[in-house]
Amino acid sequence: MDTLTNPAQGAAVATEGADRPKLRFATVWLGGCSGCHMSFLDLDEWLFELAKYAEVVFSPVGSDAKIFPDQVDICLAEGAVANEENLEFIQKVRSRSKLLISFGDCAVNGNVTAMRNPSATVEEILDRCYLELADLSPQYPREPGIVPPLIKQALPVHQVVPVDVFLPGCPPSAAQIQSALESLFTGEAQTANLKFG
């Protein structure tokens, strides 16, 4: 897909005026440090502009929703897929989102989250974290569900589900985020301009 002529299929994105239907917008956080979301918050007063175009229906920094909703038009996904919880969640996000953006280097190429891949097995990582580095009472978490099981390797989002747009950076700057979102909201996006920042 070279041109996003209508990134949010069925949603009006290129018209002017307050009566324009708002896009359903979400952000999600997988295995990452939250730096991309901090950069998103650096949009500062432009967040008020965003609110003219979009309704934030799910976001760890912009919504109190606990369940990822259906019919999301645009979703930013931060972080790599590092554990079974991330894997299940991004599959749900993909199935419920019209346009999925890999948001930042961990989502785009695994980055810091994937540094564990060549150096240790899952068992070695857990031993190091919970046994070798513990100051007091070294032990694995006892209660089920406290720590989601790690998958064998941390993966960039596109290796798990199809991604429409790549927005790299560690983190992407607020200006990059604004530029990408503005072009999508106004229907002027060219994916060729967005895939590599």
Side-chain angles (χ1 to χ4, degrees), residues 19-81:
D19 57 345
R20 160 187 62 235
K22 290 187 177 183
L23 295 170
R24 291 171 57 80
F25 176 75
T27 72
V28 298
W29 178 5
L30 306 171
C33 70
S34 83
C36 296
H37 274 86
M38 296 304 101
S39 196
F40 176 77
L41 291 177
D42 282 343
L43 288 168
D44 297 328
E45 64 271 7
W46 192 78
L47 291 170
F48 292 105
E49 277 302 304
L50 184 148
K52 293 179 184 175
Y53 290 103
E55 174 189 4
V56 179
V57 294
F58 187 94
S59 174
V61 297
S63 165
D64 196 33
K66 305 300 183 207
I67 298 172
F68 195 84
D70 288 322
Q71 299 180 347
V72 171
D73 292 305
I74 298 173
C75 179
L76 297 174
E78 173 187 353
V81 180

Side-chain angles (χ1 to χ4, degrees), residues 3-24:
T3 303
L4 292 174
T5 54
N6 187 357
Q9 299 165 355
V13 295
T15 58
E16 296 291 330
D19 57 345
R20 160 187 62 235
K22 290 187 177 183
L23 295 170
R24 291 171 57 80

Side-chain angles (χ1 to χ4, degrees), residues 181-197:
L181 292 180
E182 275 182 327
S183 62
L184 291 169
F185 290 161
T186 59
E188 298 171 354
Q190 302 286 321
T191 53
N193 295 335
L194 294 173
K195 284 204 172 188
F196 302 101

Side-chain angles (χ1 to χ4, degrees), residues 118-154:
S119 60
T121 65
V122 167
E123 293 75 21
E124 290 169 337
I125 291 166
L126 295 175
D127 286 350
R128 181 78 175 146
C129 292
Y130 292 107
L131 304 180
E132 297 170 19
L133 296 178
D135 292 331
L136 300 171
S137 304
Q139 60 185 311
Y140 294 116
R142 294 182 181 169
E143 297 297 324
I146 291 179
V147 178
L150 296 176
I151 59 175
K152 187 174 179 181
Q153 294 202 315

